[in-house]
């Protein structure tokens, strides 16, 4: 059974905190993605990684950074959390070349 | 910016009817197409994938792709209340491996 696991289901953080969201996949996928999902805006790509230590900016990278030191793990970092980063964050992974994307269970982050 | 357009709905159908969900995309280079179902508060789960023009059937679900018209659709036959969810259309441009999602169509199936 394919598995993408996000470290937290719910998080509450204070403005200005550094926040780490972790994602682990066990499918040996090359690609990993971080999306945020907001009502009416759909899924927006924050960052994408196609290999270890490789990353590409998505459509909304401002205020975020990522780290991929191992193939199975992709971390999203909010350098200084702000209230407008309150959202549902979804991690996904896929094989290279157009394969299906599998999603983690999501992290609902609230910044107060 | 590559765009994937869906009618946000809600689309309401009675139980047992056919639900028809539509999606258009802007990038002619798109090669892979997916339909995901997302229940409220949950993450998206794959329903169908389609890669070539025509129809692909899986149980009660049929995906239809027309690359010339840049159009992909999902038909749900014999709709059930448990099909009530938001359906996301996604396209992938294989060269770049990125997925682009529509904002989703909310489907309500009434008993």
């Amino acid at each position: 059974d394919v598995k993408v696991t996000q470290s937290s289901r719910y998080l509450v953080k204070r403005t200005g905190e550094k926040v780490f969201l972790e994602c682990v996949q066990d499918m040996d996928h090359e690609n990993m993605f971080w999306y945020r999902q907001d009502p009416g805006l759909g899924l927006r790509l924050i960052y994408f990684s196609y290999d270890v230590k490789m990353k590409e900016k998505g459509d909304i990278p401002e205020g975020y950074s990522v780290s991929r030191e191992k193939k199975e793990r992709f971390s999203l970092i909010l350098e200084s959390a702000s209230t407008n980063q309150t959202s549902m964050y979804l991690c996904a992974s896929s094989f290279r070349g157009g394969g299906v994307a599998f999603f983690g269970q999501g992290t609902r982050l609230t910044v107060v | 910016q590559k765009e994937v357009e869906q009618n946000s709905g809600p689309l309401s159908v009675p139980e047992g009817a056919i639900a028809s969900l539509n999606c258009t995309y802007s990038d002619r280079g798109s090669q892979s197409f997916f339909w995901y179902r997302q229940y409220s508060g949950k993450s998206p789960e794959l329903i169908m994938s389609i890669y070539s023009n025509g129809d692909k059937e899986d149980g009660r679900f049929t995906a239809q792709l027309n690359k010339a018209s840049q159009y992909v659709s999902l038909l749900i036959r014999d709709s059930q209340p448990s099909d009530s969810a938001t359906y996301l259309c996604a396209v992938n441009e294989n060269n770049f491996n990125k997925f682009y999602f529509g904002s989703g169509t909310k489907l309500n199936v009434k008993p």
Side-chain angles (χ1 to χ4, degrees):
Chain A
D1 213 15
V2 298
K3 201 122 186 183
V4 180
T5 303
Q6 295 182 226
S7 53
S8 304
R9 187 75 177 91
Y10 299 95
L11 271 180
V12 180
K13 296 292 182 181
R14 294 195 179 278
T15 301
E17 275 193 78
K18 191 168 187 176
V19 181
F20 293 86
L21 303 183
E22 306 284 343
C23 176
V24 177
Q25 51 97 1
D26 65 358
M27 294 167 282
D28 203 34
H29 284 164
E30 295 89 1
N31 298 333
M32 295 189 75
F33 310 84
W34 276 106
Y35 291 90
R36 64 177 282 177
Q37 186 175 32
D38 301 288
L41 297 177
L43 273 75
R44 293 181 290 168
L45 181 64
I46 305 171
Y47 265 99
F48 156 60
S49 169
Y50 52 91
D51 204 345
V52 175
K53 298 190 186 295
M54 306 304 290
K55 61 186 180 185
E56 276 191 24
K57 293 180 180 179
D59 298 321
I60 52 164
E62 297 79 17
Y64 303 95
S65 62
V66 290
S67 172
R68 192 164 180 203
E69 297 296 319
K70 294 185 177 181
K71 189 176 185 179
E72 67 271 18
R73 187 179 296 270
F74 192 34
S75 302
L76 180 70
I77 303 153
L78 286 67
E79 298 290 345
S80 177
S82 64
T83 55
N84 63 11
Q85 293 178 309
T86 292
S87 186
M88 169 72 93
Y89 289 87
L90 289 161
C91 175
S93 69
S94 76
F95 286 118
R96 195 171 292 157
V100 175
F102 294 93
F103 284 86
Q105 77 276 29
T107 297
R108 185 164 294 281
L109 172 67
T110 302
V111 182
V112 298
Chain B
Q1 179 153 344
K2 298 170 176 52
E3 293 186 350
V4 180
E5 300 285 344
Q6 294 181 255
N7 189 320
S8 61
L11 173 66
S12 292
V13 299
E15 184 175 356
I18 296 175
S20 177
L21 306 166
N22 304 312
C23 172
T24 59
Y25 59 95
S26 64
D27 185 9
R28 286 194 173 272
S30 299
Q31 297 291 324
S32 309
F33 305 87
F34 308 90
W35 283 99
Y36 287 83
R37 178 177 62 199
Q38 186 175 26
Y39 293 114
S40 180
K42 302 293 187 182
S43 60
E45 56 179 338
L46 181 73
I47 297 294
M48 294 281 290
S49 59
I50 187 166
Y51 303 95
S52 55
N53 281 329
D55 295 359
K56 179 181 177 183
E57 187 174 318
D58 183 1
R60 296 186 296 112
F61 298 94
T62 299
Q64 299 174 317
L65 175 62
N66 184 325
K67 289 185 178 180
S69 300
Q70 296 175 242
Y71 176 91
V72 58
S73 65
L74 179 71
L75 300 178
I76 307 174
R77 289 182 299 281
D78 189 25
S79 295
Q80 301 297 309
S82 59
D83 294 327
S84 297
T86 296
Y87 289 80
L88 302 172
C89 172
V91 305
N92 185 296
E93 188 186 44
N94 290 2
N95 289 340
F96 298 98
N97 288 280
K98 293 182 185 178
F99 292 83
Y100 295 92
F101 286 83
S103 56
T105 298
K106 186 175 176 63
L107 173 66
N108 291 329
V109 181
K110 298 183 177 180

